[in-house]
Amino acid sequence: MDQKAKAEASTPPDERVTDRAARSAHETIDRVAEHARSTEDRLRDSASHAGERARAAAEQVRERGHEYGDDIQRFVAARPLAALGIAFAAGWLISRLGRR
């Protein structure tokens, strides 16, 4: 008999069951750990993509804000009296709504 067979034959049956249970537990833990790693990787990728989309959306909002500001400046330069009338009407309306 080889050494391993002799050792197994001389060990009590409970110990062999314990060894099998421990080996099975280790294998299960390894599978769970691998699943957790792949889940973590997917979550990190999703978070990275969400961050990129949020940055792109913020940049787009900034660009539109600048465009609207430029449009307003051109309108005021081209029609100063109309711009003054619109500002007066907006102020009057806001003051009326604020009284209620």
Side-chain angles (χ1 to χ4, degrees):
M1 261 194 206
D2 66 329
Q3 293 260 344
K4 187 176 179 183
K6 286 180 186 177
E8 285 183 7
S10 65
T11 56
D14 289 345
E15 189 175 341
R16 284 187 232 147
V17 170
T18 304
D19 289 341
R20 281 187 296 222
R23 187 173 42 255
S24 176
H26 285 291
E27 290 170 357
T28 301
I29 289 170
D30 290 343
R31 283 193 306 271
V32 168
E34 181 57 36
H35 182 68
R37 275 191 292 276
S38 67
T39 301
E40 179 184 9
D41 290 343
R42 284 195 311 269
L43 287 173
R44 286 182 189 276
D45 287 344
S46 294
S48 174
H49 292 308
E52 290 170 7
R53 286 192 306 269
R55 282 188 288 279
E59 180 61 30
Q60 189 176 21
V61 167
R62 268 192 297 277
E63 288 175 8
R64 284 188 181 170
H66 289 299
E67 289 173 9
Y68 292 146
D70 292 343
D71 290 346
I72 291 169
Q73 284 181 338
R74 282 193 293 275
F75 179 81
V76 169
R79 298 177 187 91
L81 290 178
L84 183 62
I86 292 170
F88 177 79
W92 180 81
L93 182 61
I94 290 171
S95 72
R96 286 297 209 191
L97 291 173
R99 288 183 187 174
R100 293 183 182 187

